[in-house]
Amino acid sequence: MNCTWLKSAVFYEIYPNSFMDSNGDGYGDFKGITGKLDYIKSLGCNAIWLNPHYDSPFMDGGYDVRDYFKVSERFGTEEDFDEFIKTAHAKGMKVILDLVPGHTSEQNADFLKSAEPTENELSDRFIWTRGEWDFPQGFKAISGRHNRKGNYIVNFYSTQPSLNYGFNRVDDPSWQMSYKSDAAKKTREWLKGVMRFWLDRGCDGFRVDMADSLVKNDGEQGEKPATSEVWKDIRAMLDKEYPDTVLVSEWSNAQSIRAGFHADFMLDHHGNPYNLLVRGEEEPDVYSYFDINGRGDAGKFAQGFCEWYDKIKDDGYFALISCNHDTPRLAPNYTHEQLKLIYSTLFTLPGVPFIYYGDEIGMKYIKDLPSVECGFARTGSRTPMQWDMTKNAGFSNAERTFLPTEIDKAVNVVAQLKDKKSLLNFIKELLAFRKSRAEFTSRDFEVAHAKGGEPLVYRRGGLICVVNPLKVKQSVPVVVNPKAPVLFNIGKAAKPKKTGLDVAPLSFTVFESK
Ligand code: GLC
Ligand code: CA
């Protein structure tokens, strides 16, 4: 099987603007990242997901790509990028890049060519209506920006014109092309070219932005048969030409694995298992299982998680995140003690762990920051990495940094390295433990107890994991051999009794039961 490296991968997500500034201009850069690879490795991470590094006007944090074949000067030179990849590989680490297939920047040269009033070879590379007064329902169309007769459809913000991968259901053939049309197929070939370019530069795969957004009118929610066909075709190319390349989708649906992705992010979408586990507080009517007042429901989480897992487990993986550049950080909603329980649970469930930079030290979501580069509410999760107590928390020498830096005597790398009980040192222990047991990277998973705010108990092969998210002692009717060794615990280890387990407040225990 190809891509075997994914099975034991532990990713660290880097938002390049915010990680480490090597030249004092206030923005993070490739050299800064390269200099910190040993730090990332020391956590127990062996792979990196780098957010967009391409030339961009940054109207959506780099997800508006101006030139797909060039790095952003903000982050350094082409050589700096190559050096980053080379150094990561020399340290035994993999790097996946962010692929933005659905839309370009409005400043992308192909788009500007497509926008010319006279017909040319790129006229159909983007999606244009026929007339300048056409505003088709269900689409966001931008008018009056270019001299081409017609409006163009955008995929996300108005600065991000949709590339034309065609339509599955063609309602109006005067401007909608089939996804099987030559024009749509040419876009697909162009995308393959982008992928080959970066694979030849040494990357090991891609995190695929809005992977389900390519073909328009492609069924309701999730399934997306034509978009799946496109990805299957791309996956076939990769299997043939770059067989060890990993594709991780932003799709959050079992269909993505059927479409050829190796892993798929379980995102913070309304009421999904990830929210029911840790992110309920972001929605008015949902509580997460880790809610300290016990208003969450392990049963609901387990049901959704298992149903979804059954659909993907033979062919792919969940990508399980501590957070990402789009979601609020879990701190300060949770204390470091709770975060230890949450990370332990998340990363002993079946899936590939993704740690967002700074989550290993419990960096806080910063509320009410003015939006920068159209981050809006997401801006508060993108503040610079907190390395130490020096100027700009050791991130940069600049007078002004990309976003304000938080100086926090407890939440920085240097302080936490010194403190044995810190979240940072805990993450290292957790990842080392995870790595030491093949059960955690196997497909074996079974829920033994999941009910309301009671302890959640699950088996990974011969291991039994027990978590109590509440401040009170609880019992569960899961019988464990009293001689079963405790391999790992936070707080007091759960105690096997004749009728079940006594589980200490705010605790996590792993037994080996044979
Ligand atoms: C994805 C990215 C997000 C971006 C959007 C548009 O959701 O994660 O940051 O704004 O796509 O590309
Ligand atoms: Ca810099």
Side-chain angles (χ1 to χ4, degrees), residues 433 436-440 457-466 478-489 493-494 496 501 508-514:
F433 170 59
S436 74
R437 300 299 307 213
E439 290 89 339
F440 292 125
V457 187
Y458 50 94
R459 291 178 213 276
R460 301 298 316 270
L463 305 182
I464 302 178
C465 305
V466 187
V478 176
V479 178
V480 173
N481 182 341
K483 291 202 185 115
V486 171
L487 302 184
F488 187 84
N489 61 298
L501 287 167
F508 179 85
T509 313
V510 181
F511 293 101
E512 175 156 40
S513 91
K514 279 215 177 112

Side-chain angles (χ1 to χ4, degrees), residues 6-28:
L6 184 61
K7 187 174 175 181
S8 51
V10 178
F11 281 85
Y12 191 81
E13 179 191 347
I14 298 179
Y15 196 67
N17 279 316
S18 312
F19 194 56
M20 185 66 203
D21 174 17
S22 73
N23 63 350
D25 66 357
Y27 293 94

Side-chain angles (χ1 to χ4, degrees), residues 101-215:
H103 47 268
T104 68
S105 152
E106 61 183 348
Q107 296 181 18
N108 177 272
D110 289 356
F111 174 68
L112 294 174
K113 185 84 196 161
S114 188
E116 286 178 5
T118 39
E119 200 167 327
N120 62 65
E121 69 283 6
L122 292 175
S123 296
D124 295 335
R125 180 56 49 87
F126 293 80
I127 307 176
W128 293 84
T129 65
R130 262 211 320 186
E132 65 275 37
W133 305 114
D134 296 345
F135 295 99
Q137 269 207 340
F139 295 94
K140 225 154 76 180
I142 306 295
S143 60
R145 297 269 291 168
H146 296 277
N147 280 313
R148 174 170 172 169
K149 193 171 157 57
N151 300 325
Y152 60 94
I153 303 300
V154 299
N155 222 22
F156 196 70
Y157 290 146
S158 66
T159 53
Q160 292 162 312
S162 281
L163 279 149
N164 181 21
Y165 293 88
F167 288 67
N168 186 355
R169 195 190 65 244
V170 174
D171 292 330
D172 183 348
S174 72
W175 65 280
Q176 302 177 347
M177 293 170 202
S178 158
Y179 73 100
K180 292 181 174 157
S181 63
D182 283 349
K185 284 196 174 145
K186 276 189 191 153
T187 309
R188 204 191 290 185
E189 291 311 311
W190 164 84
L191 178 63
K192 288 180 190 166
V194 172
M195 295 172 88
R196 288 189 183 103
F197 179 83
W198 293 102
L199 287 163
D200 291 340
R201 290 278 285 269
C203 81
D204 302 287
F206 301 96
R207 173 269 186 185
V208 180
D209 184 69
M210 292 176 67
D212 63 333
S213 73
L214 304 195
V215 178

